[in-house]
Amino acid sequence: MFHHEILHDPQIVTKVNEFINRNKDSLIAIVTSGGTRVPLEKNAVRFIDNFSMGNRGAISTEWFLENGYAVVFFHREESLKPYSRKFMHIFEHLQVNEEDGKVVATGFDGLAESITKYNTYKNRLLYIPFTDLDQYMHMLDVICKQACPLGPRLLIYLAAAVSDFYIKREELPTHKIQSTNGDLQLKLSLVPKMLERLVSNVVPNAFVISFKLETDESILIDKSRSALEKYGHQVVIGNILSTRKRKVVFVYPSGQVDPIEMSDDQIAKHMEIEELIVDKLKVLHEKFISIRNSK
Ligand code: PAZ
């Protein structure tokens, strides 16, 4: 269940088509999750990577499933997965009883419930892994092309942390960069933005949500608004690195902003903000479908 290999185009096409056919009565969400990796060599020994572990994508996927969606979970290989995400550190929960030498497991609260949920929803969940930035860009395009006929029933939730910079293929050294050459200077190019093409050409009728991550609160709303102007999609969810698990802000094409912040009570009850995000999106998505269908 948790080991995956990178799929080739025909395998993606077959898997996505089968998945959509099997779930033809459901709303479908494509969720991107985790960080992209950028290689520094063709025979890559070193990489540029980022912080994202894929919490947002994995938790949101659980709530999309709970809300009746079938989910294509397009994730960084080895990042967190729905349901298993809380149980990654199995070794820390195992102790050997000194008296009889038996292994005792503690601290697995919720494990049975998570396994039950996974079993309930597994037919509505398709895992597709990526690792490097170029795989992410190419495979997302392939997945979206297959899902395009779903029209407004398709929701695309772009939570992955995608690198803005990379080294162009023609500028990548073939072999491992040698330290004997002294200090290393890197020239990184801007990653071409794929969202505009996705929104206007590949899935023009889908409901598309992107995330905007910043560390400086004073620019978050302006950057989110300009993403909406540039790409023409439906919602940007802005978040600040240090507070992203407690608050986010929905920004709409009208320029209107709608903050969501967890209350102390919700935090004390161990609720996660993705539940609130997905509940709100479901309402917006249903409204979007009925407007599109009435045209
Ligand atoms: O993976 P995670 O849960 O630690 O972080 C989620 C996030 C901050 C990567 C996501 O909410 C987000 O903002 N993604 C888009 C990042 C960006 O490219 O601006």
Side-chain angles (χ1 to χ4, degrees):
M1 158 186 166
F2 297 124
H3 181 74
H4 307 283
E5 57 191 40
I6 298 302
L7 302 170
H8 297 293
D9 290 7
Q11 296 169 297
I12 300 174
V13 168
T14 308
K15 275 181 186 277
V16 173
N17 283 340
E18 277 173 11
F19 183 74
I20 290 173
N21 278 335
R22 195 165 70 235
N23 291 288
K24 53 178 168 308
D25 299 328
S26 306
L27 296 173
I28 307 263
I30 297 171
V31 173
T32 73
S33 185
T36 57
R37 192 177 76 166
V38 172
L40 301 190
E41 296 119 344
K42 281 192 186 116
N43 290 299
V45 172
R46 301 189 183 89
F47 304 89
I48 299 175
D49 214 327
N50 67 54
F51 70 95
S52 171
M53 289 293 294
N55 268 294
R56 176 83 82 218
I59 308 172
S60 303
T61 294
E62 294 175 11
W63 289 105
F64 279 118
L65 291 165
E66 204 73 39
N67 274 285
Y69 284 79
V71 181
V72 178
F73 182 62
F74 182 50
H75 62 284
R76 165 72 180 269
E77 182 154 45
E78 310 301 344
S79 65
L80 297 174
K81 314 280 185 309
Y83 306 112
S84 66
R85 64 188 167 90
K86 289 184 189 155
F87 308 103
M88 300 301 282
H89 301 288
I90 184 161
F91 254 68
E92 289 156 27
H93 295 284
L94 301 176
Q95 271 138 26
V96 179
N97 186 329
E98 284 183 5
E99 276 157 32
D100 58 11
K102 284 196 176 141
V103 175
V104 191
T106 52
F108 281 113
D109 301 346
L111 179 60
E113 192 193 340
S114 291
I115 293 174
T116 308
K117 289 251 182 211
Y118 172 72
N119 269 300
T120 308
Y121 293 134
K122 65 175 188 251
N123 288 333
R124 279 203 272 123
L125 180 54
L126 176 66
Y127 294 97
I128 301 188
F130 63 83
T131 302
D132 290 347
L133 172 72
D134 57 349
Q135 290 166 347
Y136 172 89
M137 309 249 287
H138 176 74
M139 291 166 83
L140 183 58
D141 196 72
V142 174
I143 296 167
C144 286
K145 275 187 187 135
Q146 295 313 305
C148 166
L150 292 163
R153 283 173 51 223
L154 174 65
L155 176 149
I156 301 180
Y157 183 82
L158 300 165
V162 182
S163 179
D164 286 328
F165 304 102
Y166 77 124
I167 302 179
K168 289 183 179 153
R169 177 111 195 126
E170 61 272 21
E171 288 168 17
L172 274 180
T174 303
H175 293 294
K176 184 186 167 204
I177 300 167
Q178 294 299 313
S179 60
T180 42
N181 296 341
D183 292 351
L184 176 61
Q185 302 243 5
L186 290 177
K187 180 183 157 230
L188 299 176
S189 305
L190 264 185
V191 170
K193 293 289 177 198
M194 71 176 299
L195 192 50
E196 186 173 357
R197 201 181 82 79
L198 209 68
V199 172
S200 47
N201 297 344
V202 184
V203 279
N205 295 313
F207 186 69
V208 180
I209 305 114
S210 71
F211 278 81
K212 173 62 72 189
L213 175 71
E214 292 298 340
T215 53
D216 175 357
E217 190 132 26
S218 69
I219 61 172
L220 182 63
I221 304 288
D222 279 353
K223 297 278 287 197
S224 302
R225 285 188 179 131
S226 63
L228 285 165
E229 272 164 31
K230 239 190 271 168
Y231 308 128
H233 56 307
Q234 283 67 41
V235 185
V236 171
I237 303 180
N239 54 172
I240 294 292
L241 184 65
S242 57
T243 57
R244 70 190 188 282
K245 294 187 177 175
R246 276 189 288 115
K247 57 180 182 179
V248 298
V249 55
F250 278 49
V251 183
Y252 302 112
S254 61
Q256 194 197 336
V257 297
D258 192 3
I260 297 186
E261 184 159 2
M262 305 264 287
S263 67
D264 291 344
D265 190 41
Q266 288 169 325
I267 293 170
K269 285 186 185 141
H270 302 293
M271 273 179 75
E272 291 165 311
I273 195 165
E274 288 76 9
E275 178 177 355
L276 308 179
I277 295 175
V278 173
D279 281 355
K280 199 186 236 324
L281 287 176
K282 171 104 194 271
V283 174
L284 293 170
H285 187 202
E286 280 172 346
K287 214 184 272 174
F288 175 82
I289 294 171
S290 71
I291 293 171
R292 287 286 164 115
N293 287 345
S294 67
K295 278 185 183 162

